[in-house]
Amino acid sequence: QVQLAESGGGSVQAGGSLRLTCAASGDSVSRYCMAWFRQAPGKTREAVATLAAEYCPTYQADSVKGRFTISQDNIQNTLYLQMNSLRPEDTGVYYCAANYRSYIDLRQPLTRASYNYWGQGTQVTVSS
C-alpha cells in the first residue's frame, strides 16, 4: 500500500503562491485515484481538487478554480498542488489522499471517507 508525505506548506501574504508536494512511497501513484483536501480550524476536511484519471472522480472546488492546479509526475511518484493568488480563506492544513482506482463510488459526494490513504498534512497560512 502507498505511503504519502506532504511538504511545501508555509506562511505567505495574500496574492502569493505556494507549491505543495506529496511524495508517495511503497506503491506507484499511477494505480490510485489522487486528491488534495484541506481542513481549516474548526471546520470539516473538504476536497480541494482531484487528479483526473480513469475510474476516478473529477472535482475542483469552486473556490479554487482558476487559482489552483493539481498535477502528477508518475516517474517521480509525486503529486503536486500549485496554488496561486492565495487568499486568507485558503488557510488550513492540506492533505494528500489516495485510494485504489474503482474503489471510489463515483455516485456519492466526495468526502474524507472516499479515500483510504492519507499523508500527515502540511500547514498553509495566508495573511491579509
Side-chain angles (χ1 to χ4, degrees):
Q1 61 188 34
V2 69
Q3 292 87 46
L4 305 172
E6 304 93 337
S7 61
S11 297
V12 297
Q13 290 192 326
S17 298
L18 285 173
R19 188 175 82 154
L20 304 184
T21 297
C22 172
S25 59
D27 203 350
S28 171
V29 292
S30 63
R31 298 184 60 197
Y32 295 82
C33 295
M34 302 297 296
W36 286 98
F37 279 68
R38 67 185 178 189
Q39 188 164 12
K43 295 189 176 181
T44 58
R45 195 171 298 186
E46 63 174 358
V48 174
T50 64
L51 187 75
E54 190 176 15
Y55 306 119
C56 299
T58 299
Y59 177 81
Q60 190 174 41
D62 287 341
S63 61
V64 307
K65 285 180 180 177
R67 301 189 299 122
F68 290 12
T69 303
I70 187 171
S71 62
Q72 182 167 292
D73 185 331
N74 288 338
I75 295 175
Q76 297 295 326
N77 216 28
T78 301
L79 183 74
Y80 301 99
L81 185 67
Q82 178 66 44
M83 306 187 296
N84 299 327
S85 302
L86 282 162
R87 305 168 180 169
E89 54 265 38
D90 294 319
T91 294
V93 180
Y94 283 70
Y95 297 90
C96 175
N99 204 356
Y100 289 110
R101 294 194 186 189
S102 79
Y103 277 37
I104 298 175
D105 187 345
L106 300 182
R107 300 166 298 179
Q108 298 299 321
L110 200 62
T111 68
R112 182 174 180 171
S114 304
Y115 293 85
N116 286 343
Y117 303 102
W118 294 85
Q120 81 288 350
T122 186
Q123 176 71 44
V124 171
T125 303
V126 185
S127 58
S128 57

